[in-house]
Structures are given as C-alpha cells and as structure tokens.
Amino acid sequence: MQPPPEAFRPPAEVEAPPGIDNLEAWPGWFVGREPELARLDAALAGEGVPVVVAAVHGLGGVGKSSLAAYWAGTRDHGCAPMVWIHADSKQGVDRGLAGLAARLQPALAEVLTVQDLAERGLQWLSTHTGWLLILDNVEDPADIAPVLARARTGKVLITGRLSVPWQAGAVIVSLDVLAADEAQRLLTGLITAGGPRDLDGVAELCEALGYLPLAVEQAGAYLAHQRFTTPRAYLRLLTDHPAPTFDRAAAGTDPQRTIARVWRVTLDRIAELEPAAGELLRTLAWYAPDNIPLTLCWDPADQITVDAALGVLAAYNMITPDPGGAGLSIHRLVQAVARTPDADDPHRDPEAIQQARARAAATLHAGLPDIQNPATWPAWRNLLPHIDALTSYTPTSGSESTTATIATICNNTGIFLNDQGLHASALDYLHHARTDCERVLGDEHPDTLASRNNLALAHQSAGRVGEAIPLLERTLADRERILGEEHPNTLTSRNNLALAHRTANRVGEAIPLYERTLTDCERILGEEHPNTLTSRNNLAGAYRAAGRVGEAIPLYERNLTDAERILGPGHPTTGVARSNLAVVRERAR
C-alpha cells in the first residue's frame, strides 16, 4: 500500500487537532484526596516534572487511576492534548503511543505498523510542548524509561503500585485508603442519590470494607439498587459469608479476599436478576481489564440475554461502560476473583470457570481479523491486550479443544506481530502455539507442522536463521512423509528452507532445493501458476547470488514474458520481473 503524503511529514510539523484527548473517566462521586490533589498541583506547576501516584503496600482498588483522571479533568493545568496510556507493559506503552500517532494523523493507522506508529508518537511528544501524558498502572519502570528519557517537554503523570524514584526530581504521592469520614461520605452519597434512605450502619460498613474506595463503591451500587436493604443489613450479609474473611490490621492481608467478600453478596443478587450475568462476568474475566470491545460480548443466538446481562453488571458497577459505547472495562481485582476457583462459592465453581475460559477463547478466536488486510490493523491492535491476557494464564486444567483454540489464536497473533516487525513478541506467541499443538494434536498433525513452519519464519525474520533452518528441515521432512512430496504445503516448505539457506549465505544448499521446487511447481501447478513464477524468480536469484549469471538470465527472461502475458505489463509483479532482468543483464556486461 502506498503511504499517504502525511507519512512523510516530520512529527514536529504536525499540530494536535482539537478533541484528541483520551482521558479516562473518574467516579461520579469523588470525595477527599485534597492533600494529594494539592501535591499534584504543586508538582505539576513546573515544566516536565513527572509525578508518581503510588498505592501504599501496592493495594489495588485504592483509586490511583481515579485520582489521576480527576486531577487531569478538573484542574486548571492548561495542558493540551491530554494523552492517557495503559502502561502496564512495554507492549501497552507502544500501543498507547501508536494510538496517539493515529489520532494525530488517522490516515497512518492503516499503513504503518505498531512499532512505526509508536516511534512517531514518541517523536511528536519530544518535539512539542504543553501536553499532559498520563502513564497509568506502570508495573515495571523499565517499560516507560525510553518515554521519560525522550519526552521531556511536557508534563508526565505516572500511576503505579511501586513507590520507587522514577527519575531524579520526581515527586512521589503515596495514596492510602480513604479516611473514615470520606468513605462514609462516599457511601452516603451513592446510597442517597435516588432520595432519602435509612443510613443505619454506614460507619460500621465502611470500617468492614477497610475504607477501600473500590469496595465502598461496589457496596454503594448494590444498596442504591436495593432500596429496601440498609447498610446494616448489607453488613449482616457480609457476616453471613465469612469464608474469605480478612484481618484488616494484619500484615500481608490479601486485598483480593476483601473484594471477594464484598462481591459475593453482589453476585448473589445479580444471579437472581439475570443468571447469564455471572456467566458473562466469568468470561470477561479472561480478557484485559480495559477497553474490552463489545464484539467480545456478542452472542448472535441470544443477544437480548447478553444485553440484559451487561445492563445488570453495569448497574452494580461490576463493569464500566466506555463513554463512547464501543466497549467496557472491569477492575482487575473483579477479574482476579471471578477466574479464581472456590468450591465454596457458587459464583466461582471450578467447572464454571473452565467453561468461561473456553467461551472466552472461542469468542476471541471467532473475532480475529484477517491477517492479510491492512485495514484490519487497528482492530488487531485493539484485540492484542485481550489476547495477551487470555494466553498469559496457564490453568492447571482445561479441555484439549480450548487449548487447540488458544494455539490457533497464538499462531495468528504471532504471524500478525511478525509482519508488524515485533519479532520478540511474535516468537513468544509462536512458541506457545507450537508447544500447545504438539501436546494436544501430536507432532504429525497439519496444524502442528504449520505452527513449526511459522515459528521458523519468525526466527528468520528476527535474523536468527540458524534457529530457523533446523525447524524448516524437520517440517519439510515431515510434510514429505505425511502429506507427500507433491502437496502444495510440501512445496512451500522446500521453498522456505531454500530461502533460509540463501539468507545464511549457503547458496550452494539453496539451489538444489529451488531447482526441485520449480520442477515440481511446473509439473503440478502448471507453468503459468503464480507460485511457479515465484519459484522461477527465486531460482534465478540464487543463480545470480552464486555468480551463475548465464543461468539466471534465461529464467528472468522467461518470467518477464510470462508475467506480461498473464498479469499484464502494468502489474507490480511484472515490474519486479523487468527490474530483475535489467539488473542481471547489467552485471553480465
């Protein structure tokens, strides 16, 4: 695809159009945090000073992202644009920078790879001033180090669980749970949003919830919906389910167990209203927490039930619909609880959780875009975080069909990433695919052979041809034995092995393979088949590389004649054939 003129404009010359902010939403009821907001005001008054909002003891659900979004969206900081990046991994940072570049110049989204877009986004930040960059949920400082090193002309706000010195001069804001009165004000506001209510037990309930904002918000959503349930009655419901109980003051308390204690009550009510909602929540738990496309919730057979389930989950704050209506988000602790088996919890039955994982895999597999179509690249990028999440979990049990489905997802994702130039990530996925195929399908299954071939090609793309050749040799031998020497996949394997030898400067080993492939293509596919033209061109190139120009020229002449007759004089392949012939004739003089 020919790049549009915008691709050649230096990022320094690209001005940010209005309306490209992608700030995350903050809770409708935002209470307290005045000291932390004041510290952010003071810290970000200087130019280019990054600020860390860190949870004490790494406690999840304390409101780090909410604080950052609220400050950015309500304070008079004068920054534009505001860029929000989910920075929980290096891949997330790259995708966020790529998203910025795509919003700046939408036409580039379908012609540049993620890697190229990310570099362009970072160049834009490094050559402009006045922006606010929010790096949310940073898990590893190394993931954002390149950004901090180059993006030094705006303002950077970092959220993460680690309270570490991100860089010299950074201000660290430690974020604790809410004060008792703030938690009570938050819970009261949520409960009474629809009118006066019986507030007996608010203080005790907030104390039992550990003043954790997320837990208070979940309880408030439940009580707002259940108008005949008082805070004290809700507290009794918590007491009736003490299995995941916790000691709030004890060192090493697991916050997930606190959340599970709260959500058990909510899920009981959700199951009464819409049984399918629990099943959907368990399925969504296997994806990334943010920006889950609604396409991963679709069920053509019963979309009405899915819509009802989404509505109930949103009403109880178990999911958060995106403002644009294209997707939703789930707190990562909700997901962690929903996919953690507990035989004593009917919402986390081990078999139900495995079934949910199978549904998540099948839905994601069905929604994978066409690998070959550049117009689908933005859709692929939107799905990558969810593919990362689904494939990163290794349950102790699961059906072979689910494993095979995930292997296919890994294989297709690896091919996409390899084409995008992200070789390290591609190799990880393709290793995963090959391992799963060999374990579930066996060494001789066609999908196993294909996965081994794709892994070899990724090694070759990454410049690791020494690792590619043994894989290609094994794949060729297996395909000759299993599929037969004249099978199209066998011809492809022989061609791939020849190319690997040539790449490794072993042209003497490549030529016999190319000669055999051309002979077979002419006999099996016909002399005018596109693959035959490609094989003839490859053999000619190998002859030329070996200094056997006299043998290369007739092949190039034959290819040009056939291409002009079959494809037409203006076809790109014809142009390549014409160029190759001209080059080899020049060298023969």
Side-chain angles (χ1 to χ4, degrees):
M1 181 180 295
Q2 182 67 30
E6 296 170 73
F8 301 101
R9 286 184 63 193
E13 297 178 7
V14 177
E15 294 300 322
I20 69 166
D21 295 345
N22 65 329
L23 192 64
E24 293 281 311
W26 58 88
W29 275 90
F30 188 92
V31 301
R33 306 307 195 193
E34 290 304 324
E36 293 83 2
L37 290 168
R39 290 202 67 195
L40 291 177
D41 288 336
L44 290 175
E47 291 293 329
V49 179
V51 176
V52 176
V53 179
V56 177
H57 307 306
L59 184 63
V62 79
K64 303 179 295 294
S65 300
S66 296
L67 177 69
Y70 184 81
W71 181 87
T74 63
R75 302 308 240 214
D76 187 18
H77 48 70
C79 296
M82 293 184 285
V83 182
W84 188 287
I85 291 180
H86 299 288
D88 56 350
S89 66
K90 175 63 169 60
Q91 292 78 13
V93 174
D94 287 344
R95 288 192 287 264
L97 291 170
L100 168 62
R103 293 194 298 278
L104 289 166
Q105 296 175 283
L108 302 186
E110 295 183 7
V111 296
L112 296 184
T113 67
V114 172
Q115 199 170 34
D116 292 336
L117 285 170
E119 173 59 25
R120 196 168 179 88
L122 187 51
Q123 287 183 19
W124 189 92
L125 291 173
S126 66
T127 55
H128 289 76
T129 61
W131 43 261
L132 173 65
L133 175 63
I134 301 168
L135 298 168
D136 185 43
N137 194 36
V138 176
E139 297 287 351
D140 185 350
D143 292 338
I144 64 169
V147 178
L148 296 182
R150 294 174 59 185
R152 305 180 67 84
T153 53
K155 298 179 181 180
V156 181
L157 177 58
I158 303 167
T159 76
R161 297 184 181 188
L162 298 175
S163 181
V164 299
W166 297 92
Q167 73 176 33
V171 176
I172 296 178
V173 179
S174 296
L175 195 61
D176 205 340
V177 296
L178 294 170
D181 61 328
E182 293 171 345
Q184 292 170 29
R185 183 150 49 97
L186 173 60
L187 184 58
T188 299
L190 292 169
I191 295 173
T192 60
R197 292 283 298 275
D198 182 350
L199 299 177
D200 178 47
V202 163
E204 294 87 344
L205 178 55
C206 287
E207 181 180 7
L209 298 175
Y211 309 117
L212 185 68
L214 181 61
V216 173
E217 290 167 5
Q218 295 288 342
Y222 178 91
L223 291 169
H225 196 270
Q226 300 300 315
R227 298 189 57 81
F228 296 102
T229 302
T230 66
R232 190 166 300 282
Y234 187 89
L235 184 59
R236 284 196 297 270
L237 290 174
L238 289 178
T239 304
D240 291 339
H241 299 282
T245 191
F246 65 101
D247 184 348
R248 205 170 30 86
T253 296
D254 183 356
Q256 292 189 21
R257 296 177 68 81
T258 307
I259 299 297
R261 187 178 182 215
V262 175
W263 293 337
R264 167 74 180 270
V265 176
T266 300
L267 289 171
D268 283 343
R269 181 56 183 164
I270 287 176
E272 294 176 8
L273 296 173
E274 180 52 68
E279 178 180 308
L280 178 59
L281 186 68
R282 286 189 294 272
T283 302
L284 296 176
W286 294 98
Y287 301 135
D290 301 306
N291 302 319
I292 301 175
L294 287 181
T295 53
L296 296 182
C297 306
W298 286 347
D299 182 358
D302 193 2
Q303 191 58 38
I304 293 177
T305 299
V306 172
D307 289 342
L310 289 170
V312 172
L313 291 173
Y316 280 90
N317 282 352
M318 299 303 285
I319 62 173
T320 302
D322 292 341
L328 56 92
S329 300
I330 312 176
H331 195 281
R332 53 185 44 82
L333 293 183
V334 176
Q335 292 182 301
V337 172
R339 65 175 177 263
T340 301
D342 183 348
D344 296 326
D345 187 341
H347 308 294
R348 294 189 287 148
D349 174 74
E351 183 177 351
I353 287 177
Q354 285 303 319
Q355 291 172 350
R357 178 172 176 261
R359 283 192 300 272
T363 303
L364 186 52
H365 176 258
L368 291 180
D370 180 3
I371 302 175
Q372 305 300 328
N373 185 0
T376 67
W377 288 0
W380 265 106
R381 292 163 190 154
N382 289 338
L383 288 176
L384 283 176
H386 309 295
I387 298 171
D388 289 344
L390 177 66
T391 57
S392 67
Y393 304 118
T394 53
T396 56
S397 61
S399 70
E400 290 188 354
S401 61
T402 301
T403 302
T405 300
I406 291 177
T408 302
I409 293 172
C410 288
N411 184 71
N412 291 354
T413 304
I415 294 172
F416 170 75
L417 292 171
N418 192 54
D419 290 344
Q420 294 280 301
L422 302 174
H423 302 306
S425 297
L427 286 169
D428 287 342
Y429 274 109
L430 292 170
H431 271 296
H432 190 158
R434 184 195 63 170
T435 300
D436 282 353
C437 284
E438 289 177 343
R439 178 168 57 86
V440 174
L441 303 176
D443 288 348
E444 298 187 351
H445 191 280
D447 289 351
T448 303
L449 303 183
S451 69
R452 192 180 299 127
N453 180 75
N454 293 333
L455 176 59
L457 296 180
H459 277 302
Q460 189 169 335
S461 297
R464 298 158 63 171
V465 67
E467 297 175 66
I469 287 176
L471 289 170
L472 291 170
E473 289 175 333
R474 181 180 175 187
T475 303
L476 175 58
D478 287 346
R479 281 179 166 169
E480 287 178 335
R481 178 170 50 83
I482 299 167
L483 303 178
E485 295 190 354
E486 298 187 352
H487 192 281
N489 289 351
T490 304
L491 303 185
T492 298
S493 285
R494 190 175 296 116
N495 183 78
N496 290 342
L497 178 57
L499 177 59
H501 281 308
R502 183 179 172 187
T503 303
N505 295 318
R506 294 154 62 172
V507 68
E509 296 175 68
I511 286 175
L513 292 168
Y514 278 136
E515 291 173 334
R516 169 80 180 277
T517 301
L518 175 58
T519 300
D520 289 346
C521 283
E522 288 177 336
R523 186 180 73 260
I524 300 165
L525 303 177
E527 295 191 354
E528 298 186 351
H529 192 280
N531 289 357
T532 303
L533 301 184
T534 299
S535 292
R536 188 177 297 116
N537 182 77
N538 291 342
L539 177 57
Y543 282 149
R544 185 177 70 181
R548 297 160 62 175
V549 177
E551 295 172 82
I553 289 177
L555 293 175
Y556 279 132
E557 290 174 337
R558 170 76 180 278
N559 247 23
L560 176 58
T561 300
D562 289 348
E564 287 177 335
R565 185 181 73 260
I566 300 167
L567 303 175
H571 193 278
T573 299
T574 305
V576 171
R578 189 177 296 114
S579 175
N580 287 339
L581 179 58
V583 169
V584 75
R585 282 176 172 170
E586 179 66 26
R587 291 186 179 179
R589 290 180 180 177

